[in-house]
Amino acid sequence: MTASEIFIHRIKFLRSNHPRIRRIKRLNPNHTAHGNKIWLSSLVLTNYLSSNPIAQGSNVLDIGCGWGISSVFLAKTYAAKVTALDIDAKVEPYLALHCEINDTDVDFHCADFQDLKENEITKFSNIVAADICFWDEQVSPLYQFINLALDAGVERLLIADPGRPPFWTLCDHCCQNLGAEVLTRRINEPITTEKFILKIEQS
């Protein structure tokens, strides 16, 4: 491992200072939705998924996929059929690069989760997301989406966050009305950090 690489359960990701990442940044400047780096909540979510696995070959939706930390991990580790969703089309080259260096495939879609219909969600057994609830205006759409996903038959939704106020508001709604729980997760590798995971499962 070099200073420009990190490994997460044997999956390799490149830091912002890696030459191949720097080249993508030069060719694709001006991100529109915070897709400019690896967010630590993704590392914590991946760590959680390593000890709370999904079924092999599951269909998974990764909302706000960014550089594809969760997507690539799930595809490589569990042979998951992952749809990586992000509203910023400029994250796709980063996702593609991480798929390439880990010899796996992920299906990227540039779209807003709010535009998804129930019949588009029904094929997914799991939905994961990290760092997607950072504005107050996002709480209501996310809560509505979670309800839609449950109606569509999604078995489990996981949303990781460092603990921003809008995230806690979303947690309150989900815990009170959907039987959700909030988990605290601390990791020491590849970096020491502690985040929170909102877990909603079908009863």
Side-chain angles (χ1 to χ4, degrees), residues 22 51 142:
R22 291 169 63 183
S51 56
L142 273 169

Side-chain angles (χ1 to χ4, degrees), residues 28 168 179:
N28 298 274
W168 289 122

Side-chain angles (χ1 to χ4, degrees), residues 29-114:
N30 303 320
H31 285 275
T32 59
H34 312 293
N36 60 332
K37 64 178 182 179
I38 292 175
W39 293 89
L40 297 185
S41 294
S42 295
L43 305 183
V44 174
L45 178 60
T46 301
N47 177 268
Y48 176 83
L49 289 163
S50 71
S51 56
N52 295 270
I54 64 171
Q56 288 284 325
S58 294
N59 281 299
V60 182
L61 175 64
D62 182 7
I63 297 174
C65 65
W67 290 11
I69 306 301
S70 302
S71 295
V72 172
F73 171 79
L74 290 168
K76 184 71 174 180
T77 306
Y78 301 120
K81 301 174 182 66
V82 183
T83 298
L85 193 78
D86 205 291
I87 60 173
D88 185 356
K90 291 188 176 182
V91 303
E92 184 175 11
Y94 300 94
L95 173 64
L97 172 58
H98 286 119
C99 285
E100 174 197 330
I101 64 176
N102 289 288
D103 190 26
T104 194
D105 293 308
V106 170
D107 187 19
F108 176 76
H109 283 274
C110 182
D112 189 328
F113 72 88
Q114 297 182 64

